[in-house]
Amino acid sequence: QNAKGFAAMKGRLPRPVAGAVVSGYGKVRHPKFGTLTFNNGILIEAPEGRAVKSIYDGTAVYTGWLKGYGNIIIVDHGDGYYTLFAHLLKAMKEKGDGVARGDVVGLVGSTGLESSPGLYFEIRERGVSRDPSAWLAVR
């Protein structure tokens, strides 16, 4: 299979924001309640106001408030691939805007979060969440 576009970039994409991953993808046990939940993305701890960058070219298809996610922006990268950036202080692109790799799409915030500021980041393939760490280049 000859992957092209976003699919061909697996393992080579830049991180959307500099910071430590404080919550990983997959099954997570809640520290306080001991309940098991499934994380569809990763949480990267970063100071409020830090620039969040698109990891690939695409089009902003949604910006706004989503319950549990706070302020979000969703970028369509074509071929069924989307990235979702959540808990933003504010989105820097409007719905319909073109986005280039490296463009600032938002600012780190803590909207919809009960903890410290950070970026919640998801990669979706045809609606199914994928582990972002498999897509991002190892620093």
Side-chain angles (χ1 to χ4, degrees):
Q1 106 139 7
N2 288 334
K4 60 183 188 343
F6 191 90
M9 297 301 294
K10 190 165 185 177
R12 296 187 302 174
L13 291 162
R15 290 173 80 117
V17 70
V21 174
V22 289
S23 181
Y25 175 86
K27 287 192 182 126
V28 179
R29 190 171 294 280
H30 192 284
K32 197 170 9 172
F33 306 113
T35 51
L36 267 186
T37 54
F38 191 88
N39 269 358
N40 286 315
I42 59 175
L43 185 64
I44 302 170
E45 201 171 47
E48 187 161 280
R50 179 173 282 172
V52 174
K53 295 177 179 170
S54 179
I55 63 168
Y56 196 73
D57 301 347
T59 306
V61 290
Y62 182 85
T63 64
W65 182 270
L66 199 60
K67 189 172 164 53
Y69 287 86
N71 285 323
I72 71 163
I73 182 165
I74 299 173
V75 178
D76 179 352
H77 301 289
D79 299 320
Y81 287 97
Y82 295 84
T83 49
L84 180 149
F85 307 85
H87 306 317
L88 299 173
L89 182 64
K90 98 187 266 242
M92 304 299 276
K93 295 279 183 183
E94 296 294 323
K95 183 179 170 178
D97 284 355
V99 175
R101 174 176 166 152
D103 278 3
V104 175
V105 293
L107 301 177
V108 170
S110 54
T111 59
L113 262 183
E114 67 278 357
S115 56
S116 53
L119 172 70
Y120 177 74
F121 178 68
E122 283 183 18
I123 292 178
R124 289 184 174 256
E125 180 183 0
R126 292 176 182 79
V128 180
S129 68
R130 299 291 181 211
D131 184 355
S133 26
W135 288 83
L136 302 177
V138 181
R139 288 189 307 183

